[in-house]
Amino acid sequence: MRTPASVIVEQTLCKSHGVKEDPTLQEAFASFLESRKKKSRARAAWGPSETRPQTRPASTSILAQEERRARVRALFVETARGFIGVPYARKYHDPHYCTCEGCSASGRQLYHSPLFLDCCGLVRRVAWALQRQLGFRLGPGNQAYQYDTLPKRVESVAQLKPGDLIFYSGTYYEPGSRRHAFDMTHVEVFVGGPSGEATIGSRERFKWVMQYDSYRFESQRWKILACHFCSIDTWLDGLCHPKHPELWQPRRRMKQQQQQQGSTSSEGAWATVRVTRGIHGTGRNTWDTGKHSTFGRVRDGGKKTVEDE
């Protein structure tokens, strides 16, 4: 005979373990044992408690991300320091006996150096050395391309962190000098230092990569229009996408795209490429992408050259 107490126990077990209504006490108990066995098998599959998946608070994830950024930033600065002493470019030195300011001051014949780095070449080499940590390989573009891949900007040097980049836009004094996209003429790596303004860069054509007490200087080749303070946080997060990709495509790829769109005239195909909208505003300007692209242009003999500076 079923007592009221046994009925209550049966109903409770049925509700908690999904057993059909009005089962016998034996059926309810068997269902209870089966559910316990399933939970036990699930725990055994995960192994010890320390290997089971844990839900991390959002604050912990953010903290871990910031710690990783700080480590890669430190590596970025350390790698840049490793290139101090590398000359700017071979073409500024005599192959036989150079008496320029750099060779005289260093006591070396810089023409015979195994490596040369201009301003954007320094940044590129550092990024290449850290491509496993960054998660991408920086493209071959010059300082204008690098600037275009860093959308996060800050207002002043006081907001920069070591490893961030300072870009310089300007106009060349010499008439006919090649103009870069966004008028970008130079870039340096911010390190801070005691002055809070120190940078590492390849600033002088006859010398080499060195650390400067301040990012402020006057160039003998171009007039500085503005300094642009860019955070490398997007690079540290593995993101490197130019905002204006049409400026950095090889000419061959551009021509193929124009032909695929149905253009039959080569002159007509390049008409829309030569005139680019929206680089310095909403108006039109005569920007020759084929000439100013950092992938260079094909000269006599079919050799493609890249001019960074």
Side-chain angles (χ1 to χ4, degrees):
M1 180 177 178
R2 298 172 64 188
T3 64
S6 64
V7 172
I8 294 174
V9 171
E10 291 177 9
Q11 292 177 349
T12 303
L13 291 173
C14 291
K15 291 180 180 179
S16 60
H17 300 289
V19 182
K20 62 182 180 179
E21 294 185 1
D22 298 329
T24 64
L25 185 60
Q26 290 80 4
E27 290 175 342
F29 186 71
S31 177
F32 170 74
L33 290 179
E34 183 63 26
S35 65
R36 291 290 298 271
K37 289 179 181 179
K38 288 182 179 179
K39 292 180 181 179
S40 179
R41 286 194 294 267
R43 284 195 296 267
W46 281 111
S49 59
E50 58 269 15
T51 63
R52 298 174 194 169
Q54 302 291 332
T55 303
R56 293 185 177 181
S59 58
T60 304
S61 301
I62 295 175
L63 180 61
Q65 184 181 24
E66 290 299 327
E67 290 177 350
R68 179 190 170 279
R69 284 179 177 177
R71 289 196 301 269
V72 180
R73 279 182 178 279
L75 285 174
F76 201 94
V77 174
E78 181 181 353
T79 305
R81 284 202 173 99
F83 289 109
I84 290 179
V86 177
Y88 184 93
R90 176 177 278 119
K91 64 182 180 180
Y92 297 114
H93 303 282
D94 190 288
H96 303 292
Y97 185 75
C98 186
T99 58
C100 72
E101 180 184 2
C103 292
S104 301
S106 65
R108 299 182 293 162
Q109 288 297 298
L110 300 179
Y111 180 89
H112 303 288
S113 297
L115 178 65
F116 296 87
L117 294 174
D118 58 10
C119 65
C120 59
L122 170 64
V123 175
R124 188 184 311 114
R125 279 282 182 160
V126 173
W128 284 359
L130 299 178
Q131 60 182 341
R132 290 184 60 186
Q133 290 83 355
L134 296 175
F136 65 89
R137 182 175 177 85
L138 185 63
N142 65 4
Q143 63 275 0
Y145 166 80
Q146 294 166 0
Y147 172 80
D148 200 28
T149 64
L150 294 171
K152 187 176 180 180
R153 318 280 163 75
V154 296
E155 296 296 329
S156 66
V157 68
Q159 297 175 275
L160 292 177
K161 299 178 182 178
D164 288 336
L165 301 181
I166 301 178
F167 292 88
Y168 301 73
S169 59
T171 55
Y172 287 95
Y173 294 126
E174 184 179 353
S177 296
R178 190 168 73 94
R179 177 183 168 216
H180 299 291
F182 319 113
D183 290 323
M184 286 300 158
T185 55
H186 188 61
V187 60
E188 294 186 358
V189 181
F190 175 78
V191 296
S195 66
E197 297 183 350
T199 59
I200 296 175
S202 188
R203 186 183 293 180
E204 303 171 68
R205 291 182 295 174
F206 297 98
K207 291 189 176 181
W208 47 84
V209 177
M210 63 180 70
Q211 180 168 328
Y212 299 92
D213 291 334
S214 176
Y215 71 95
R216 306 173 191 270
F217 74 99
E218 292 185 5
S219 174
Q220 298 179 353
R221 292 181 295 149
W222 38 271
K223 178 182 179 181
I224 297 178
L225 298 178
C227 291
H228 308 267
F229 308 110
C230 296
S231 170
I232 63 169
D233 280 350
T234 51
W235 285 7
L236 300 178
D237 293 337
L239 301 176
C240 182
H241 304 293
K243 187 177 180 180
H244 302 87
E246 69 277 2
L247 295 179
W248 320 114
Q249 295 181 3
R251 295 186 67 179
R252 182 180 302 174
R253 187 186 306 171
M254 287 184 174
K255 192 171 183 179
Q256 290 175 352
Q257 291 177 354
Q258 293 291 337
Q259 291 175 348
Q260 290 174 359
Q261 293 175 1
S263 176
T264 57
S265 170
S266 60
E267 182 63 27
W270 281 100
T272 56
V273 177
R274 289 197 181 99
V275 181
T276 307
R277 182 183 294 271
I279 297 179
H280 295 287
T282 58
R284 297 170 67 87
N285 58 72
T286 56
W287 185 267
D288 189 337
T289 306
K291 178 180 179 182
H292 297 290
S293 171
T294 58
F295 285 90
R297 55 184 180 274
V298 178
R299 291 180 175 174
D300 294 339
K303 183 179 179 181
K304 181 175 289 188
T305 61
V306 178
E307 297 177 354
D308 289 333
E309 287 272 318

